[in-house]
Amino acid sequence: MKWAATAASALLVPANALLRFPCAQLVIDRVDPLVNPGLSPSPHIHQILGGNSFNITMDPAKDMPNESTCTSCQFSEDFSNYWTAILYFKARNGTYKRVPQFPNAGFDGVNGGMTVYYMQDGLYNFAQTSKVQAFKPGFRMYIGDVNAKTREQAERFRQLTFTCLDTIGTRDPQTLDFPEAPCKTGIMTAVRFPTCWDGQNLDSPDHMAHMSYPESGTFESGGPCPASHPVRMPQLFYEVMWDTSKFNDKADWPEDGSQPFVWSFGDGTGYANHGDYLFGWKDDALQRAMDSPCYVNCPTPKTQNTQAMNACTIKPRVNEDIDGWVKELPGGHQAQYVKRR
Ligand SMILES: *[C@@H]1O[C@H](CO)[C@@H](O)[C@H](O)[C@H]1NC(C)=O
Ligand SMILES: *[C@@H]1O[C@H](CO)[C@@H](O)[C@H](O)[C@H]1NC(C)=O
Ligand SMILES: *[C@@H]1O[C@H](CO)[C@@H](O)[C@H](O)[C@H]1NC(C)=O
């Protein structure tokens, strides 16, 4: 695979027991069946990936991902849905344009979307030894705070970050706020979910309380799960590549030199980075994959080619102009920037 040739330069340390795969864009739409079930339009616009049974309501009791007839993910038994907000550029004249996405290293030709990881342990590390229990049908979760406005609020979460890409392989440093200067190749956002489950609830009122971070350490150091959430689950992790390089002309940035990018719900700090997940792997395909150590080119799950991934799309429910210059963000939001220093 192409990935094998670029892996060494893209990631510093090789590893095993790690699924890394692309999911193309299923749809860009103003719906959110986790936070705003049944509501169309939802307050802000998202990019959504995965199984095509995605709908404004996803009843956990009905295991709706199994109604999908295709998925935009490379692993063809993965009908999960993955979604994040999208990024906009605000020009000096006050109008906005959606920032296009580009494929991560090794995934040329994939239309938008993101890279999804399921790992036994935290970081790219040969010692992937933890036994993990796959998520169950009906399981869903959210991580982040859409209302976060300060660094302190953002610091409650481990590893919701931005990387200013010099090259496609740049991975550090990671920041909690938008990069302040133009980034040559683009901006990567990362969303890492907690890994410890309470063992009982498929969801919770804030979509987070049924999950917990390890008792100590960040995700890299893989501390023990707390007694309240004793079940270790895969480290789910998204990487999204935003092609901000088209917007690097400083003449179009704010006169005070501050950064011009904004999340689709108006956050211009970056502190409100968040992501959503709705499990939908077929039968025990995820458990089997997690029990078969491998690194990136994982032979256990069935795969489909890029053309088939890109072909799996659904029609948006809400008609938005997602390609032109617009006076406000979809849903009527305006960018809110705060002085950070
Ligand atoms: C979405 O749900 C509606 C009912 O709420 C249903 O009529 C429609 O067929 C569903 N769409 C898909 C793609 O399943
Ligand atoms: C999906 O799962 C539900 C709940 O287990 C089941 O009732 C339904 O028949 C399944 N549908 C398909 C298409 O497999
Ligand atoms: C605003 O600025 C952008 C970038 O320079 C330009 O493409 C767009 O046409 C401008 N829009 C208006 C309404 O002036």
Side-chain angles (χ1 to χ4, degrees):
M1 278 177 83
K2 235 178 246 166
W3 163 251
T6 55
S9 57
L11 300 175
L12 294 178
V13 187
N16 60 2
L18 178 154
L19 308 188
R20 174 188 188 266
F21 59 100
C23 296
Q25 178 183 304
L26 180 72
V27 68
I28 288 183
D29 203 359
R30 209 136 65 77
V31 292
D32 188 337
L34 184 55
V35 177
N36 305 109
L39 195 61
S40 174
S42 68
H44 64 262
I45 194 162
H46 298 103
Q47 57 149 345
I48 298 136
L49 333 175
N52 70 341
S53 63
F54 182 82
N55 209 329
I56 51 171
T57 301
M58 296 292 281
D59 183 346
K62 290 193 183 145
D63 186 17
M64 290 184 59
N66 74 354
E67 311 282 328
S68 292
T69 54
C70 70
T71 172
S72 69
C73 294
Q74 187 177 53
F75 287 140
S76 54
E77 296 165 296
D78 180 12
F79 301 106
S80 304
N81 288 118
Y82 307 91
W83 64 101
T84 70
I86 56 178
L87 211 56
Y88 279 80
F89 168 73
K90 185 179 183 184
R92 192 175 285 187
N93 65 19
T95 62
Y96 301 90
K97 193 152 167 51
R98 182 172 67 89
V99 176
Q101 292 169 242
F102 67 104
N104 209 335
F107 301 146
D108 292 350
V110 176
N111 176 36
M114 59 198 182
T115 307
V116 176
Y117 294 76
Y118 289 84
M119 304 152 99
Q120 281 177 276
D121 290 311
L123 194 51
Y124 317 106
N125 183 342
F126 274 119
Q128 299 269 333
T129 53
S130 299
K131 168 76 181 161
V132 293
Q133 180 175 317
F135 309 104
K136 290 182 183 305
F139 181 91
R140 60 267 321 265
M141 62 179 160
Y142 170 96
I143 193 66
D145 177 2
V146 69
N147 296 313
K149 291 188 168 50
T150 65
R151 171 171 292 276
E152 288 66 35
Q153 288 168 332
E155 280 170 352
R156 288 178 293 150
F157 304 98
R158 301 180 198 166
Q159 311 280 352
L160 301 176
T161 59
F162 298 83
T163 304
C164 184
L165 298 175
D166 184 36
T167 70
I168 197 168
T170 305
R171 288 297 176 270
D172 287 301
Q174 300 181 43
T175 58
L176 295 180
D177 44 14
F178 284 115
E180 287 174 67
C183 300
K184 202 166 113 196
T185 301
I187 293 175
M188 184 178 83
T189 51
V191 176
R192 293 179 183 84
F193 288 83
T195 48
C196 302
W197 181 42
D198 71 7
Q200 300 186 348
N201 298 295
L202 298 174
D203 195 4
S204 48
D206 67 356
H207 314 292
M208 293 191 281
H210 57 314
M211 294 296 287
S212 166
Y213 291 113
E215 209 160 44
S216 58
T218 61
F219 89 109
E220 297 99 324
S221 54
C225 283
S228 57
H229 295 74
V231 183
R232 185 175 287 275
M233 304 194 94
Q235 171 71 63
L236 178 66
F237 164 27
Y238 307 161
E239 284 178 343
V240 193
M241 312 295 273
W242 305 100
D243 188 2
T244 55
S245 68
K246 295 179 165 51
F247 306 104
N248 279 352
D249 181 358
K250 280 287 236 177
D252 239 351
W253 283 39
E255 276 168 57
D256 68 359
S258 60
Q259 77 84 30
F261 297 101
V262 55
W263 281 121
S264 50
F265 46 93
D267 171 30
T269 63
Y271 295 141
N273 187 10
H274 65 275
D276 298 74
Y277 174 61
L278 204 144
F279 170 81
W281 285 69
K282 193 170 186 316
D283 306 326
D284 64 344
L286 179 60
Q287 189 69 61
R288 275 187 287 118
M290 298 313 296
D291 289 343
S292 316
C294 62
Y295 170 56
V296 177
N297 293 323
C298 293
T300 307
K302 294 192 182 104
T303 56
Q304 61 179 352
N305 65 24
T306 302
Q307 200 183 357
M309 294 165 52
N310 289 345
C312 186
T313 59
I314 58 177
K315 280 201 169 61
R317 292 179 160 265
V318 184
N319 270 325
E320 304 277 6
D321 176 3
I322 55 167
D323 293 314
W325 288 91
V326 290
K327 288 201 170 65
E328 56 180 24
L329 298 165
H333 304 281
Q334 292 291 343
Q336 295 184 334
Y337 296 100
V338 295
K339 277 263 170 284
R340 279 180 274 162
R341 288 184 180 74

